[in-house]
Amino acid sequence: MRLHVGCAMWTHAPWQGRYLPHPLPPRERLRSYATWCNAVEGNTTFYATPARSAVESWAAQTASDFRFVVKLPKTITHERRLGDVGEELGAFLAAIEPLGPRAGALWVQLPGSFGPGDLGVLAGFLRRLPRSYRYAVEVRHRAFFDDARSERLLERVLGGAGAEWVPFDTTTLFQSPPTTDAERDAWTKKPRVPRRSLALTDRPIVRYLGRDDTARTVEGWRHWAGTVAEWLREGRSPTVFIHTPDNAEALALARRFHGDVRALVPGIDPLPEPEPTEPPTLF
């Protein structure tokens, strides 16, 4: 039973000098982030397969119980739509191999056009994946949320592969009109789908998007705090990623979410103590 929390990235300009020491060389930024959170979304891998040397650095900067949820490259999920991707998948798996147990799940984020008619392709793709990793799938086609038959079919495909369904909860963002530039941008780009909070495996993963107003973000995650607490009581080990449109406070908010859940389930381990932003002085 373990709760992992994190953000969409491990370096972000508004955090520098405020939450994380500044300046920091690139090979120390993840290490510093890992004193705040014990998980991170691997979004950069969507745009390109990383060099193995870069992944070796990620592993060296984090403890063995730190978790990466690593997104498959868009060449696999969006351009090839899971078909004829053996070479690309092999290169990706070879690159991330140094993560070892830190690879909490490989994340298959599918485009909004990938619908119920494509489930046979998804089932075949999942069957061919090596069993040495866990897998998590994020869908954005409305039919999977609005049509009960399509939802059941997707659950059957995922269940057959032992894969998790990753909800991206944007309901708090879309509750009322945007009030900041970042929220207005998010309104044009983020999926507007119903909240889903059913875990399929013992390692559920949640992506939660709040608002740039901290109080509204915290109010919006109360559902998730209760759900995650219940999952923990059931013996599951969830991972929750906290987003806001500008992510300026996301690092502190992820820790706050962990604290809210720990108040409900005191038995979970605390997060590490954050690294000071400035070196200690003698006076």
Side-chain angles (χ1 to χ4, degrees), residues 130-269:
R131 295 297 93 194
S132 51
Y133 292 100
R134 288 177 171 268
Y135 299 96
V137 177
E138 180 185 338
V139 293
R140 297 188 172 188
H141 195 289
R142 287 286 309 203
F144 294 124
F145 301 88
D146 296 339
D147 177 61
R149 181 174 181 274
S150 297
E151 180 184 18
R152 288 194 301 270
L153 288 173
L154 176 56
E155 288 179 349
R156 188 179 305 162
V157 167
L158 297 178
E164 187 56 80
W165 181 337
V166 181
F168 187 17
D169 181 7
T170 61
T171 56
T172 296
L173 173 69
F174 291 115
Q175 272 182 344
S176 59
T179 59
T180 68
D181 288 343
E183 289 182 357
R184 281 184 279 274
D185 184 60
W187 262 51
T188 67
K189 296 177 179 177
K190 301 304 181 184
R192 191 183 298 221
V193 295
R195 177 191 289 145
R196 174 189 164 82
S197 51
L198 175 65
L200 300 182
T201 72
D202 63 344
R203 298 289 189 274
I205 299 169
V206 174
R207 306 178 71 220
Y208 166 75
L209 175 61
R211 302 292 292 254
D212 288 333
D213 180 275
T214 293
R216 297 184 69 184
T217 297
V218 173
E219 178 62 30
W221 79 35
R222 295 192 187 283
H223 164 84
W224 286 114
T227 298
V228 169
E230 187 58 32
W231 285 342
L232 288 160
R233 295 186 191 106
E234 292 170 356
R236 304 179 197 263
S237 292
T239 300
V240 180
F241 295 110
I242 302 297
H243 301 231
T244 67
D246 66 11
N247 281 313
E249 306 295 334
L251 195 58
L253 284 167
R255 287 186 68 91
R256 182 168 175 178
F257 179 83
H258 190 282
D260 282 3
V261 175
R262 194 162 179 250
L264 299 172
V265 189
I268 62 174
D269 291 338

Side-chain angles (χ1 to χ4, degrees), residues 59-160:
Q61 293 180 65
T62 54
S64 61
D65 60 355
F66 188 90
R67 293 292 176 263
F68 293 81
V69 176
V70 190
K71 191 183 291 188
L72 266 63
K74 65 180 179 179
T75 53
I76 295 173
T77 57
H78 286 57
E79 295 171 13
R80 301 282 183 86
R81 296 173 68 89
L82 309 183
D84 190 22
V85 294
E87 184 177 342
E88 292 82 359
L89 181 62
F92 178 75
L93 293 174
I96 65 163
E97 190 267 340
L99 290 180
R102 297 168 184 81
L106 303 191
W107 168 19
V108 185
Q109 185 187 79
L110 296 170
S113 60
F114 197 99
D118 300 300
L119 284 177
V121 175
L122 176 61
F125 176 75
L126 292 174
R127 280 196 301 269
R128 292 190 296 272
L129 293 173
R131 295 297 93 194
S132 51
Y133 292 100
R134 288 177 171 268
Y135 299 96
V137 177
E138 180 185 338
V139 293
R140 297 188 172 188
H141 195 289
R142 287 286 309 203
F144 294 124
F145 301 88
D146 296 339
D147 177 61
R149 181 174 181 274
S150 297
E151 180 184 18
R152 288 194 301 270
L153 288 173
L154 176 56
E155 288 179 349
R156 188 179 305 162
V157 167
L158 297 178

